[in-house]
Amino acid sequence: MSTRDLLRLIWANLNRMRGRVALTAFGVVIGAAAVLVLVSLGAGLQRSAISSLGDIGELKKIYVMPSEMSDIPVMVTEPGGAPGKQGGGQGNKPRGLTQQRLEELRGVPGVAAVIPTEELMGGVEMKLGRAVGWSQIMGISLDDMAALGMQIVQGELSLLSGQMVVGARVHENFYDPIRGSNVPISNLLDETIILVAQRWSETGEMSERTLRLRVVGVLKEGGQSDYQVFIPQREVQKLNEWFTGKRIDRTREGYNQAIVVAQSTREVAAAQEQIRALGYQAYSAMDALASINSFFTILQAVLGGIGAIALLVSAFGIINTLSMAILERTREIGLMKALGARNRDVMSIFLGEAASIGLLGGLVGAGVGWGLSRLGNLVALSYMQQSGGGNPFGPADADIVYTPLWLILITILFATLVGLISGIYPALRAATLDPLKALKYE
Amino acid sequence: MIQARGLRKTYSMGRNQVHALAGVDLAVAAGDCVAVMGPSGSGKSTLLNVIGGLDRPSAGSLQVNEREVSQLDENELAAYRRSTIGFIFQSFNLVSTMTALQNVEFPMMFANVSPRQRQRRARYLLEAVGLKARIDHKPTELSGGEQQRVSIARALSNLPRILLADEPTGNLDSHTGAEIMALLLRAQRESNLTLLIVTHDPAVAAYAGRIVHMKDGLIVENV
Ligand SMILES: Nc1ncnc2c1ncn2[C@@H]1O[C@H](COP(=O)(O)OP(=O)(O)OP(=O)(O)O)[C@@H](O)[C@H]1O
Ligand SMILES: [Mg+2]
């Protein structure tokens, strides 16, 4: 029997019991839609969680700090001390990331760049007109910004004295200090922002120091830098000296933090491992990525399993419908055999009918599931807008439910497979009917 | 063509055994037309079904075209039914959802005949049995005689060597029965087929060149 004839015969048979086929396929529709929606939900949450980690550039970064617990065993020639003496840590030995240690980090395989960063050691407000804003203020050099792969969408990448570069979402964080309400600012480019550093003396007196900086560039959105403000490293150092009342000599003391940029995301895990082995603290978004991925793989398996149960139930519907069809068509099966049909032909016809019911249910179910996912996103979006909060798992505009193409295909395939497997028992029964008994069946 | 020796078919009904065929010896030459008669329950249908490969004998030998039919496996038996045998039933056994044309095409599907060739042959056969105007009718839209004509066309579709007809006129009036018999004999003569007809009707049996009488699973008279 040719495949074309087989398909035609299957189609005709399904058509003649279309009422029952529709009802049976409806069970599959529910199962397939459930699988699609639930796994889409898992995939959407996973995507949101991953995108909240930032873009690829962010995933290549390893944040390195000196170990809190023990001193880093680096050979240091101390004044008055024996060369090569390890440990100690009496305060005279610097704990920070000195040039020597930065070089050590640069020597780790897979590392593309090591960028020491200067973080502020006290509170600093940003003032723009009457509006007040807060942001993480980072001291950095122009070269290092480029090495970090920072991209400008407005203005230029420049960090001369008196200039600053802001993250893509910094403009959202300005408030009216009296009313407490958000001050909408459309664009910070070319605005002059005044940084106000505050310090309390031991007697409780407050003193202020201001710094005027012009915004020359706005960074591309995506990742950690969205809410950060970048100013020349020297400016941060000066503010820190003012905060602490001490002169800071980074060449001697070293930095408190450095960003290590890996050559590629594949290098991150190994490089991070080695940096830790050298005795530093090292964190990266890849840590989170691995645990996010393993968590969501389990979540999707559980959600998919729940949907699969619905699909499993529909399998009994298919078995039932086919068993009834076989009873009704017993004489016809006998006839086919008398006319010379092989057991394999009879088997293929009933298997094909079962698989077609699965396929039909899978196609409609995938469509329904996709529609429900879209609807779910709309509802979630309007709910989030009402409650004022964003997507708690990621960017505010991202979908909660995400249906990748492979999921649609897998769902349809899976439903077809469920149909096919459900058909095995009835089809075997039909194929092995005794032709004579079948012909005499009333 | 057909050579049966000591052919037996025994049904076990609990502790009782029914000998539907109790040792049949029969030889039919190619191109013969044989009528099988006998009282109800004498084993006529059983003999026909065993010869047609629908049923397996319990003992004895059955050779068709020098091949031992009782030794064939499931697939070989299907091929045997498909290519060597054409069945005609008392109750027609047409597929009710298919048109006359589709019913005649049906066996050719299992023989992998191409759709074009299939249609051509089915049209030709339906025309030959006088149903040119009924090609697209479903069985429920046909009279008994017309249905039996469709089933004769169907039996001829795969160019069989042997036609087996179990009371082909049993559901028809005598006039229509005579028409069907004439048709069967014409087909038999035109293609030099071997024809076995089971019947209770002496008038039908009179068409055959040879009459075999059965009783209690045995051939008692071979004229
Ligand atoms: N499947 C079966 N199981 C048990 N006994 C059977 C079976 N089929 C036939 N028989 C018995 O075998 C015997 C022969 O049956 P068969 O159908 O061949 O008779 P027949 O000559 O064709 O009768 P009729 O003229 O009524 O059609 C009968 O006694 C019948 O009861
Ligand atoms: Mg009979």
Side-chain angles (χ1 to χ4, degrees):
Chain A
M1 201 172 188
S2 73
T3 312
R4 209 174 117 186
D5 287 338
L6 182 66
L7 292 179
R8 265 206 219 140
L9 211 56
I10 288 166
W11 177 252
N13 286 339
L14 291 177
N15 202 24
R16 89 170 117 142
M17 52 173 189
R18 55 178 165 265
R20 252 177 297 152
V21 166
L23 282 175
T24 313
F26 187 65
V28 183
V29 168
I30 292 171
V35 168
L36 193 93
V37 168
L38 290 172
V39 178
S40 294
L41 181 64
L45 294 178
Q46 179 173 23
R47 200 178 63 153
S48 299
I50 289 173
S51 71
S52 74
L53 293 177
D55 57 15
I56 289 294
E58 192 58 36
L59 293 177
K60 283 199 290 195
K61 289 178 201 165
I62 305 167
Y63 294 85
V64 178
M65 277 153 278
S67 173
E68 301 267 357
M69 292 304 171
S70 62
D71 276 356
I72 303 152
V74 172
M75 311 264 240
V76 181
T77 312
E78 292 174 53
K85 188 185 156 202
Q86 287 191 4
Q90 307 300 309
N92 57 344
K93 195 185 131 219
R95 293 189 58 253
L97 300 168
T98 55
Q99 277 309 319
Q100 196 179 357
R101 288 182 174 143
L102 292 176
E103 279 312 315
E104 181 183 36
L105 291 173
R106 284 189 184 101
V108 170
V111 170
V114 176
I115 295 131
T117 54
E118 182 89 39
E119 267 180 283
L120 274 172
M121 298 158 95
V124 172
E125 264 181 9
M126 298 188 296
K127 277 196 175 150
L128 179 64
R130 276 197 330 226
V132 176
W134 286 272
S135 192
Q136 194 186 359
I137 294 165
M138 310 282 289
I140 197 164
S141 75
L142 188 60
D143 288 349
D144 289 346
M145 281 191 93
L148 282 171
M150 289 183 174
Q151 286 169 17
I152 292 289
V153 286
Q154 278 183 310
E156 53 173 343
L157 194 59
S158 165
L159 265 188
L160 300 175
S161 171
Q163 292 183 333
M164 77 194 297
V165 170
V166 296
R169 286 167 170 253
V170 169
H171 66 93
E172 292 171 5
N173 279 358
F174 282 87
Y175 297 87
D176 185 323
I178 296 155
R179 280 189 285 162
S181 59
N182 189 279
V183 177
I185 293 165
S186 58
N187 199 341
L188 281 172
L189 190 66
D190 288 331
E191 297 283 359
T192 298
I193 291 177
I194 301 169
L195 296 188
V196 184
Q198 292 170 338
R199 168 181 87 168
W200 278 267
S201 70
E202 266 157 43
T203 56
E205 288 166 74
M206 193 191 77
S207 49
E208 282 191 350
R209 188 182 157 123
T210 60
L211 188 63
R212 293 170 66 87
L213 297 157
R214 196 169 64 85
V215 178
V216 294
V218 179
L219 291 172
K220 189 175 156 213
E221 186 170 347
Q224 193 117 339
S225 65
D226 285 355
Y227 297 98
Q228 290 174 338
V229 161
F230 298 87
I231 67 176
Q233 192 143 11
R234 215 160 27 82
E235 305 282 7
V236 176
Q237 199 171 327
K238 272 195 270 180
L239 283 172
N240 280 345
E241 285 176 348
W242 180 75
F243 279 130
T244 56
K246 285 189 290 187
R247 228 189 80 74
I248 295 170
D249 181 2
R250 288 291 174 213
T251 26
R252 206 178 63 79
E253 291 171 34
Y255 293 88
N256 293 328
Q257 193 190 16
I259 300 173
V260 171
V261 184
Q263 279 156 2
S264 76
T265 49
R266 266 171 296 144
E267 247 87 40
V268 171
Q272 188 179 351
E273 187 74 15
Q274 184 148 9
I275 290 166
R276 281 194 178 139
L278 288 171
Y280 301 95
Q281 297 183 67
Y283 306 97
S284 73
M286 287 302 240
D287 294 338
L289 187 67
S291 58
I292 283 172
N293 277 339
S294 65
F295 170 76
F296 280 103
T297 304
I298 294 168
L299 183 72
Q300 280 177 41
V302 170
L303 291 175
I306 293 169
I309 290 172
L311 215 47
L312 198 70
V313 172
S314 72
F316 289 98
I318 296 178
I319 295 174
N320 185 50
T321 296
L322 276 170
S323 298
M324 281 184 53
I326 286 164
L327 282 185
E328 283 166 16
R329 304 205 314 245
T330 300
R331 278 175 70 104
E332 197 180 308
I333 295 165
L335 174 74
M336 286 198 288
K337 293 190 137 191
L339 297 180
R342 288 164 303 181
N343 291 2
R344 180 148 51 102
D345 296 324
V346 179
M347 178 107 188
S348 313
I349 291 169
F350 283 95
L351 273 184
E353 287 176 32
S356 302
I357 294 174
L359 174 66
L360 194 73
L363 284 172
V364 177
V368 168
W370 189 80
L372 285 176
S373 299
R374 302 275 86 199
L375 200 70
N377 278 334
L378 287 179
V379 170
L381 193 70
S382 72
Y383 173 78
M384 285 187 300
Q385 280 170 349
Q386 248 170 38
S387 65
N391 180 344
F393 304 100
D397 52 351
D399 289 343
I400 293 270
V401 190
Y402 165 62
T403 312
L405 182 66
W406 63 261
L407 181 58
I408 294 175
L409 297 179
I410 290 270
T411 303
I412 294 169
L413 201 74
F414 190 52
T416 311
L417 206 67
V418 166
L420 192 73
I421 292 169
S422 311
I424 290 177
Y425 167 69
L428 262 177
R429 249 186 42 194
T432 53
L433 275 180
D434 179 63
L436 206 54
K437 280 190 192 135
L439 269 173
K440 284 184 186 166
Y441 184 85
E442 289 303 325
Chain B
M1 187 80 193
I2 304 170
Q3 185 74 250
R5 288 194 203 90
L7 208 55
R8 289 176 171 273
K9 179 72 193 181
T10 309
Y11 292 107
S12 300
M13 306 292 288
R15 283 170 52 224
N16 290 347
Q17 290 208 321
V18 181
H19 300 284
L21 297 178
V24 169
D25 297 305
L26 179 70
V28 180
D32 266 10
C33 174
V34 179
V36 182
M37 298 191 74
S40 188
S42 58
K44 306 182 295 292
S45 296
T46 306
L47 178 63
L48 221 63
N49 292 334
V50 168
I51 292 174
L54 276 182
D55 213 351
R56 286 177 182 278
S58 312
S61 125
L62 172 68
Q63 288 198 336
V64 175
N65 271 340
E66 270 119 56
R67 271 186 91 187
E68 185 59 50
V69 175
S70 54
Q71 308 270 298
L72 300 179
D73 68 20
E74 283 279 310
N75 279 333
E76 290 168 336
L77 212 54
Y80 168 74
R81 291 193 293 253
R82 189 160 64 232
S83 55
T84 310
I85 304 293
F87 274 106
I88 293 150
F89 305 94
Q90 180 178 355
S91 52
F92 321 133
N93 278 329
L94 298 176
V95 180
S96 58
T97 50
M98 292 183 183
T99 63
L101 190 75
Q102 290 167 332
N103 265 290
V104 179
E105 279 190 58
F106 203 28
M108 292 188 272
M109 271 194 193
F110 301 121
N112 265 328
V113 181
S114 76
R116 271 183 54 131
Q117 226 180 320
R118 217 157 61 196
Q119 264 212 16
R120 226 173 42 210
R121 177 147 178 82
R123 278 178 194 284
Y124 164 78
L125 285 168
L126 282 168
E127 222 177 297
V129 299
L131 285 180
K132 192 178 180 183
R134 300 280 186 275
I135 273 177
D136 291 322
H137 286 228
K138 299 241 169 103
T140 46
E141 300 154 4
L142 295 170
S143 73
E146 287 168 337
Q147 290 188 56
Q148 197 61 301
R149 284 165 192 268
V150 175
S151 92
I152 290 170
R154 180 180 66 188
L156 294 169
S157 63
N158 276 334
L159 301 167
R161 298 312 309 143
I162 301 169
L163 271 189
L164 301 174
D166 195 349
E167 302 185 42
T169 61
N171 282 4
L172 306 172
D173 62 63
S174 57
H175 175 69
T176 316
E179 282 178 2
I180 291 298
M181 278 315 295
L183 190 60
L184 272 176
L185 288 170
R186 206 185 85 206
Q188 186 249 339
R189 237 176 289 120
E190 278 174 10
S191 311
N192 193 34
L193 300 176
T194 307
L195 175 59
L196 262 75
I197 304 173
V198 170
T199 183
H200 286 285
D201 188 350
V204 168
Y207 286 91
R210 192 176 144 200
I211 301 176
V212 165
H213 285 274
M214 287 188 76
K215 194 166 186 273
D216 297 333
L218 287 168
I219 291 179
V220 291
E221 206 185 333
N222 200 333
V223 188

